Amino acid sequence: MVASGCTGEPTVSGVIPADPGLRPQADPGWDAWVAAFRPRAAAAGIPADVIDGAFRGAGFLPGVVERDRNQTEFRRSFEDYLAIVAPEAKVQAGRAAFARQRGTLAAIEARYGVPAEIVCAIWGVESNYGARRGDIPTISALSTLAYDGRRGAFFESQLLAAMRILQAGDVTAGRMVGSWAGAMGHTQFIPTSYLQSAVDFTGDGRRDIWGEDPTDALASAASYLAGAGWQRGGSWAVEDPAGNLTPDAGGPSFRTGPNFRVIKRYNNSDSYALGVGYLADRIAGGGPLRQGFGPDRYGLTIDQRQDLQRRLTASGFDTGGTDGVIGPNSRAAIAAFQASRGLPATGDPSPALLAML
């Protein structure tokens, strides 16, 4: 069932995924699942040539199953979330991206009523302004997840939607790439959201969210928000000590408006909506939050956590960055340092550890 291209066909960017587990591989169980899926796709109205073309070069992706089963189940603090999605470097990159796309974003805002800075912020959060659109073959990823079965019905519906996109001629199977879970392009649309909201803003006859030109993707994000009920001139949220939402105890509070709920339709998370809105405000020239965050559960502020990461890396224990977020890389570096000093390798940061460094 798996065609000759299954060992790693170059994606739209011409890059084969570095992880071998994310390159299509032969798997008898996946082959059998695809054989059973084909008549279901045909019954749903997908032509045989589209089905054949979709699976040409496709295959099982063991790395996708691994990622799906190993998703970390914990609540990241809002402070950590902001440090990841809206650090100062991303704010500056966003202002530069906004300047490059100013005319396009203005035209999109005029048509859909969604502020240009909100659209630009979604672009930044979803793909770092197009720099990280994903390089995993979408048909392979979705069929792998549908076959694996943890959320089989959902991913089969996404696979059928992806085939309808191919049927419409908006993209070829080889160029249809994205994240391991099937989100695609500059604004990371899943296939059903694409069918619902994607638009051909450039007028070239294709709704292209995958290519270097982000125009259709940006317009599609605005189309999605407009369809979800975006209120022209309405607020998303404002920082307010008496606000109705305080994500982190002791941190800033926000008074949310009607468009806050609309942003959550894109991703149903308070932190996501606040992160998009905050990044949008910063891109538009606004300043940082007025209310800071206190020490974390380990007794460290973000400045101290960043200092800890810098000192660990300088001592030969690489934390993989200095964003102040104590994630797996930082915890591994802490544990290695602790072990080198004969201490229990807990991986936990502390003021005492910082003082030792």
Side-chain angles (χ1 to χ4, degrees), residues 241-318:
N244 62 305
L245 180 59
T246 306
D248 291 356
S253 296
F254 301 87
R255 176 165 43 85
T256 62
N259 288 329
F260 178 80
R261 292 184 291 276
V262 177
I263 298 173
K264 286 184 65 174
R265 292 284 299 277
Y266 211 101
N267 183 317
N268 189 25
S269 158
D270 286 346
S271 289
Y272 179 87
L274 290 173
V276 165
Y278 171 74
L279 182 57
D281 285 354
R282 295 298 315 278
I283 288 171
L289 295 171
R290 298 186 302 275
Q291 171 68 41
F293 296 87
D296 64 8
R297 63 192 177 100
Y298 299 106
L300 297 171
T301 66
I302 190 168
D303 289 341
Q304 290 173 315
R305 296 194 297 274
Q306 290 172 334
D307 190 26
L308 178 68
Q309 289 171 325
R310 283 192 292 268
R311 291 176 182 275
L312 281 166
T313 298
S315 299
F317 303 91
D318 188 8

Side-chain angles (χ1 to χ4, degrees), residues 19 26 28 42 53 83 91 102 160 195-196 211 230 232 251 305 308 312 314 319 324 330 354:
D19 183 347
V91 170
R102 186 182 304 275
L160 285 170
L195 291 178
Q196 170 190 308
W230 188 273
R232 289 177 183 256
R305 296 194 297 274
L308 178 68
L312 281 166
T319 60
S330 292
L354 176 59

Side-chain angles (χ1 to χ4, degrees), residues 189-240:
F189 270 20
I190 59 173
T192 52
S193 294
Y194 177 98
L195 291 178
Q196 170 190 308
S197 301
V199 296
D200 173 20
F201 202 76
T202 62
D204 66 356
R206 294 184 302 113
R207 300 167 292 173
D208 184 7
I209 65 172
W210 299 269
E212 291 302 313
D213 181 357
T215 299
D216 284 354
L218 299 176
S220 296
S223 167
Y224 182 93
L225 293 175
W230 188 273
Q231 295 184 15
R232 289 177 183 256
S235 67
W236 68 272
V238 293
E239 188 178 359
D240 182 346

Side-chain angles (χ1 to χ4, degrees), residues 87-100 120 123-124 128-129 279 283:
E88 193 61 31
K90 184 169 279 190
V91 170
Q92 297 304 321
R95 290 173 178 171
F98 187 96
R100 291 194 302 272
C120 191
W123 186 27
N128 196 18
Y129 313 107
L279 182 57
I283 288 171

Side-chain angles (χ1 to χ4, degrees), residues 17 29 39 43 45 113 145 153 155 157 179 196 198 249 278 282-283 295 353:
L145 290 165
F155 285 113
S157 72
S179 75
Q196 170 190 308
Y278 171 74
R282 295 298 315 278
I283 288 171
L353 182 69

